[in-house]
Amino acid sequence: KQEVTQIPAALSVPEGENLVLNCSFTDSAIYNLQWFRQDPGKGLTSLLLIQSSQREQTSGRLNASLDKSSGRSTLYIAASQPGDSATYLCARLQGAQKLVFGQGTRLTINP
Amino acid sequence: NAGVTQTPKFRVLKTGQSMTLLCAQDMNHEYMYWYRQDPGMGLRLIHYSVGEGTTAKGEVPDGYNVSRLKKQNFLLGLESAAPSQTSVYFCASSYSGRGHTEAFFGQGTRLTVV
């Protein structure tokens, strides 16, 4: 069974810090990897998509990287803001276009 | 831009009752999915569809049925609701073209079975 693991489960940092969220997966034959944000009581919002042929993607203060050889993806958030507080989920494709999710990292940015 | 729309947003059922959750997408996506999200369990795939008229079981299909009669709609049915089906249900859709696959999610349906 292919698994996706996110560590840590929760993270609290002061405003303005740069931070890294980690995602690891057991199968290096990955298709794509997608990062999502989920606010309490809300749905999932897609942040970044990294195709299997790519190494990284950037959107504003967010940068996601993909290293298939080590089975890892990281989400880098620069100059964190209180509005970045949310749960961040990574998901990888597992055949037939199915997404397999990690448990998520609950991020709190303290003003 | 509607994207993925789920109906209803909230529902309370009594044990043994039945209901249908509706998911509609306006992006002409081939693939559609139903997930449930529970504390400590993350998102788990219930059923999915790779095209109109086709469905397949996911990780936790027991107690649920689905139908995809139209490309834009994916229905999730609970024939006899149980308290264990209390959860938040998410629908998603995705497309695949030249290796580019991206998933989009609805806002969720919060279901409580008492």
Side-chain angles (χ1 to χ4, degrees):
Chain A
K1 179 182 177 182
Q2 308 307 323
E3 293 188 351
V4 178
T5 304
Q6 291 186 248
I7 296 174
L11 181 64
S12 181
V13 301
E15 180 178 2
E17 281 201 3
N18 302 324
L19 58 98
V20 174
L21 305 181
N22 296 298
C23 173
S24 61
F25 40 89
T26 57
D27 183 5
S28 62
I30 192 172
Y31 289 86
N32 295 342
L33 192 134
Q34 196 166 354
W35 282 92
F36 296 87
R37 168 185 173 138
Q38 186 177 28
D39 294 288
K42 303 294 185 182
L44 279 71
T45 300
S46 180
L47 295 174
L48 288 166
L49 170 71
I50 310 176
Q51 298 180 50
S52 60
S53 59
Q54 298 174 326
R55 287 188 174 270
E56 65 177 347
Q57 282 287 325
T58 298
S59 176
R61 294 182 294 108
L62 304 180
N63 175 275
S65 66
L66 176 63
D67 185 343
K68 292 191 292 181
S69 62
S70 65
R72 288 185 61 193
S73 176
T74 60
L75 179 66
Y76 175 83
I77 303 177
S80 59
Q81 303 170 358
D84 295 330
S85 297
T87 296
Y88 290 81
L89 296 152
C90 69
R92 53 143 292 175
L93 285 176
Q94 180 193 355
Q97 311 301 328
K98 292 181 291 183
L99 287 175
V100 177
F101 283 87
Q103 296 275 349
T105 295
R106 189 173 66 254
L107 177 65
T108 303
I109 307 298
N110 301 304
Chain B
N1 294 334
V4 179
T5 304
Q6 292 182 231
T7 309
K9 291 183 171 52
F10 302 94
R11 185 71 184 269
V12 178
L13 283 180
K14 293 182 179 179
T15 297
Q17 286 185 321
S18 64
M19 77 164 295
T20 300
L21 282 68
L22 170 64
C23 177
Q25 54 96 2
D26 61 0
M27 297 172 282
N28 201 36
H29 286 171
E30 287 294 329
Y31 309 116
M32 296 187 74
Y33 318 84
W34 277 106
Y35 287 87
R36 60 178 289 174
Q37 186 176 39
D38 303 289
M41 302 295 290
L43 280 152
R44 293 180 292 171
L45 182 65
I46 305 171
H47 285 280
Y48 66 100
S49 168
V50 299
E52 181 179 323
T54 70
T55 63
K57 294 180 180 180
E59 183 183 356
V60 288
D62 293 342
Y64 305 95
N65 57 75
V66 288
S67 65
R68 183 106 180 261
L69 299 180
K70 294 182 178 181
K71 186 177 183 179
Q72 64 268 33
N73 295 336
F74 195 29
L75 278 63
L76 178 70
L78 285 73
E79 292 185 345
S80 180
S84 61
Q85 295 178 303
T86 294
S87 185
V88 181
Y89 292 85
F90 287 101
C91 176
S93 70
S94 72
Y95 68 94
S96 180
R98 295 183 180 181
H100 180 90
T101 302
E102 186 172 5
F104 297 85
F105 279 76
Q107 288 300 302
T109 295
R110 188 173 297 274
L111 175 66
T112 302
V113 182
V114 297

